[in-house]
Amino acid sequence: MYQKFGKIKDMKILGIETAVDETAAAVVEDGYKILSDVISSQTNLHAKYGGVVPEVAARNHIARIIPIIRVVLKECGLDVSSIDAIAVATTPGLLIALLAGIETAKTLAFVFNKPLMAINDLESHAYANWLEKKDLLARLQDKSQWPLIYLIVSGGTTALFLAHYFGDYKLIGQTRDDACGEAFDKIAKLLGLPYPGGPAIQKSAEEGDASAFDLPRPMLNTPNFDFSFSGLKTAAFREVKSCQKKTQQKNLSPSRINDFAASVQEAIADVLVTKTLRAAKKYQAKAIAVGGGVAANTRLRELLLGRSNVPVFFPPVKFCTDNAAMLAGCAHYYAKKGIFTPWQKTKPFFYTNIKGKTCEF
Ligand code: KG4
């Protein structure tokens, strides 16, 4: 039999995140107040491979997650039995990385008899915008402030959602191949820049000329909200090869690398911004909320804020990449309504929606 839990009003939720290469736990009160938040990034472990190795990520999550939960609880003077509910990221992510957090959350929920919520990381990336923003969150309780467009951009995702309210969102477009973060990472590697590629390209682009290379803007004018970034990767590869051939040099000069980085960043930001604004117009969105690692990009921020005529929200850079505070905050809305996922049903790629249904992503 599944344990039934009632609605919880004033609550402290423990969030657990291990979807990719960040091991994180946090306790958030009432959907916005961060009592404690720890993120342990494995970026250095994966840098030499130029991308995340799932097996390495999972092994390190397993070693780190319990000590991190202990630190988080100690920091806010709580123990597991005084937590009201547990939220865990169940999708999207790397299967064996997700499993580390999911099995930990399930075990804690079972042993301490706590309600559990299987949260879609993409929804929580948008929610990162409301953390520590009590007044803004209060304003958003009013349904007339919606719909919003969520643009979620990370190493594995590029997606647009139409959000009618907290927990009530619909996918309206996504990448048909690579995510924009993947394009940043792989093109950076091609240019000899370090991993992760997004911040490296951004830094190099500061000294470059964004009009130096004429790179494609894939799917810019298609009558839908889908994206594609694999063609941009191929175009970048061809351009770099042709530069090498012309100069008879293996590596591009530092100034050409800066120009190339600026041109790539501009092409990616232009496509993301154009499609997001088109979606906002079509659905008469009241605002746009951006989330995910690529949301840290300064050129994306500048372009979207400059071109949008509705308010645009970006989380603080710390909450753009995976973290557990966004999950614990996002789960508040579900717990308030008494929507929980039985631990027996909690597994990778399945999450709870606001109607209490289990969905697959
Ligand atoms: O959200 P995240 O941690 O998700 C995944 O692990 O997938 O995002 C990581 C991605 C990487 O592709 C990284 O290159 C990109 O976010 N990123 C950036 C920036 N900071 C991180 N991309 C562009 N500009 C940045 N400043």
Side-chain angles (χ1 to χ4, degrees), residues 21-22 40-48 51-52 64 195-196:
D21 62 339
E22 267 92 21
S40 165
S41 173
Q42 300 178 18
T43 304
N44 293 343
L45 289 177
H46 301 277
K48 62 178 175 233
V52 179
R64 293 177 191 194
Y195 174 84

Side-chain angles (χ1 to χ4, degrees), residues 20 22 125 154-156 181 184-185 196-199 202 292-294 296-297 320-322:
V20 187
E22 267 92 21
H125 270 303
S154 71
F184 271 119
D185 293 337
Q202 177 181 306
V294 180
N297 187 265
C320 286
T321 43
D322 289 344

